Each structure stands twice: as C-alpha cells, then as structure tokens.
Amino acid sequence: MESPIRIDVSLLPPATRHDTIFKAYESLDEGQSLVLAIDHDPQPLFYEFSHKYPKSFGWDYLDKGPEKWRVLITRQQSITDRIVADLVMEDLSLGKVFDAYGIDFCCHGDISLEEACRCQKLDINEVLVAMKKKSGPGAFWQPHFEEWSVSLLIQYILENHHSWERHTLSDIEDLTIKVADHHGADFPNLKKVKELVGHLKYAIIDHFFEEENELFPMILKGSKSVELLKEIEKMKVEHAEVGAILTDLTLLTNNFQPPQQACSSFRLLYSKLGEFKQDILQHIHLENTLLVAKAVA
Ligand SMILES: [Fe+2]
Ligand SMILES: [Fe+2]
C-alpha cells in the first residue's frame, strides 16, 4: 500500500493553513491518504471538510495532543458518486429526503446519487441542500458553535472566514477590474461595482486587522474591561459598514444576477460576489451573537 503524504502546517501562518491542506487533499486520488500534523486540535478543519466534501473523506486521529495532533485524512468517493441505498443505510434520515424527491432507494437504489437525480430530472444541488438539512449529526455541516470554547470559535473564524474571505476578495478585486475594463462601456453599473469592491476591500482589511490584533487577543486573555466593550462596539459598527456596502452591491447587481449577454468572467464575478456575501453574513452573525455572548459571559 502506498504510504500517505505527510504535511506539517505547524509553522505556517494560520491564515494559509487551510488552503495548503485543501490543495494537498485535492491532489490525492480516491483512496489515497495524507497525514496532517498540526499544533492544535483541528476540529474546525473537520467541520470545513464536512462542508466541502460531505460524506466523502475519512478522518482518523493518530495523535491527540497536547502539543502535536496528527490526523489521517483519506480521500473517498464523492457523495454524488455514492450509491443511494448505501447513503440511506448509513443515515436513515436521508430516506425521507429521497422519498420527497421521488428517488427510489429500495428496489432501484443501486445507482449513484448523480444518476438518480439525472433520472428524476432533479437539481442535484437542491437535493444536497435538503440532505444537509436532514442528515444526522456530524454527517454534514452541523457544528454546534454554542458548545465550543471561545478559543475554538476564534480559531474557526480565523481559519475559515478570515482566510477564505481574504483570498476570495483579492480574486474578486482582480476579476472586477478585468470585467469593468472590458465591459464598463456597455454596462455602466460595473464602474460603481468596481468602486464598491474597492471600499469593501479596505473596510475588510482594516476590520480584520483590528479583530486579529486588538479584539481577539483581548477576548482570549479573558478581559472583561471597558476597553473590551468599546472594541466590541467598534466591531459592530464596522460590521454595519460592511453590511451597507454589501447591500449597495446587492441592489446594484440585481442580487448578483448577471445580464443575459454577460460573458463567463462577468458571470463568475457576480457568482463570487454572491458567495462572498453569504460567507461574510454568516461570519458577522457568528461574531455579533455567539462570540460577543461568550466574550462577555
Ligand atoms: Fe471576523
Ligand atoms: Fe468581524
């Protein structure tokens, strides 16, 4: 048997770790594994894997701290290639979802989820979302944030939201410039989109800097000072500013719906902007509600 790839991210900056791990994972063939070494419990990463690769990866701890954690991560068959009968066997609650969509998981359940959706002319993404809602704990993206420690929550925010939003925003900015330069004459809104994306970038860079260097360290130290409350208020004001820019972008882009004649880069830009908005709204919600509640408790 081929020995697994080894990857140690302990010395990498936190913001780049998940990207490095996902790139390594995606370079694996089905059935291949990698051994991840890291300096803390990678539980948030497990949840991100569950979200990105539902029911299609193996996760086995080889060492569980206290200084070093090692996990054997195995690339398995993608969920869309899995046999529907097997999926129900693993998680009975999925039977109800398949029933609702007319997917036979009993007598004719020996076909892949993708094939079953094709036969029934179903949108597989819609089915996956319904499966995600119904599936049992741990199978999909169902983190119980309220049970997490404040340090785990901050680690999750940094490694998932801050990291992903930073590099996605940079991609969006490049794409906006390209699309606005090429199509700005035909679609005057693009000039304003470019301007708003610029504002968004600066607002977010400043905001992340403030959180990472002021607010989060204060929370991690267990501070309950007046300064902490001021930082929290500042965070909420900045969230509202980012929210306002996103509202303007939503209106300007007709809720990120590209015009019919839009080229593929134009479509990609709107799709990435919509995705970015969803991610940052979850991120803000997590900080404004759960993180604040845990910090001041
Ligand atoms: Fe944040
Ligand atoms: Fe924030």
Side-chain angles (χ1 to χ4, degrees), residues 162 207-208 211 216 235 239 283-284 287:
H162 283 213
H207 178 65
F208 284 5
E211 286 184 342
F216 292 172
M235 173 192 80
H239 286 169
H283 174 184
I284 288 175
E287 291 177 343

Side-chain angles (χ1 to χ4, degrees), residues 53-73:
Y53 316 108
K55 287 182 179 289
S56 53
F57 69 96
W59 182 275
D60 298 289
Y61 279 99
L62 304 177
D63 288 315
K64 283 189 132 182
E67 286 173 3
K68 202 86 179 166
W69 277 258
R70 285 192 317 132
V71 187
L72 181 73
I73 307 173

Side-chain angles (χ1 to χ4, degrees), residues 149-195:
S149 67
V150 75
S151 61
L152 188 59
L153 190 57
I154 288 179
Q155 184 192 326
Y156 173 80
I157 289 169
L158 291 174
E159 293 183 3
N160 292 273
H161 292 295
H162 283 213
S163 167
W164 185 85
E165 286 159 20
R166 259 198 185 98
H167 80 72
T168 304
L169 194 50
S170 165
D171 290 350
I172 286 176
E173 190 187 30
D174 292 346
L175 202 51
T176 309
I177 293 168
K178 181 179 155 190
V179 173
D181 286 354
H182 278 83
H183 303 290
D186 296 328
F187 301 98
N189 275 3
L190 285 171
K191 197 176 158 212
K192 184 72 183 163
V193 169
K194 185 172 151 185
E195 196 183 308

Side-chain angles (χ1 to χ4, degrees), residues 219 232 235-236 286-297:
I219 294 175
I232 289 174
M235 173 192 80
K236 288 185 175 175
L286 214 51
E287 291 177 343
N288 277 2
T289 53
L290 267 181
L291 184 64
V292 169
K294 284 177 190 287
V296 301

Side-chain angles (χ1 to χ4, degrees), residues 232-291:
I232 289 174
E233 276 320 300
K234 190 163 183 247
M235 173 192 80
K236 288 185 175 175
V237 169
E238 289 172 2
H239 286 169
E241 285 165 5
V242 167
I245 299 173
L246 286 167
T247 302
D248 287 348
L249 271 169
T250 307
L251 292 172
L252 193 64
T253 60
N254 188 23
N255 200 16
F256 310 108
Q257 297 301 313
Q260 262 190 340
Q261 8 7 349
C263 69
S264 51
S265 299
F266 197 154
R267 288 177 189 279
L268 180 64
L269 170 63
Y270 275 26
S271 147
K272 274 185 177 281
L273 276 171
E275 206 183 339
F276 185 86
K277 181 185 171 189
Q278 287 310 314
D279 197 85
I280 206 143
L281 290 182
Q282 285 172 11
H283 174 184
I284 288 175
H285 171 71
L286 214 51
E287 291 177 343
N288 277 2
T289 53
L290 267 181
L291 184 64

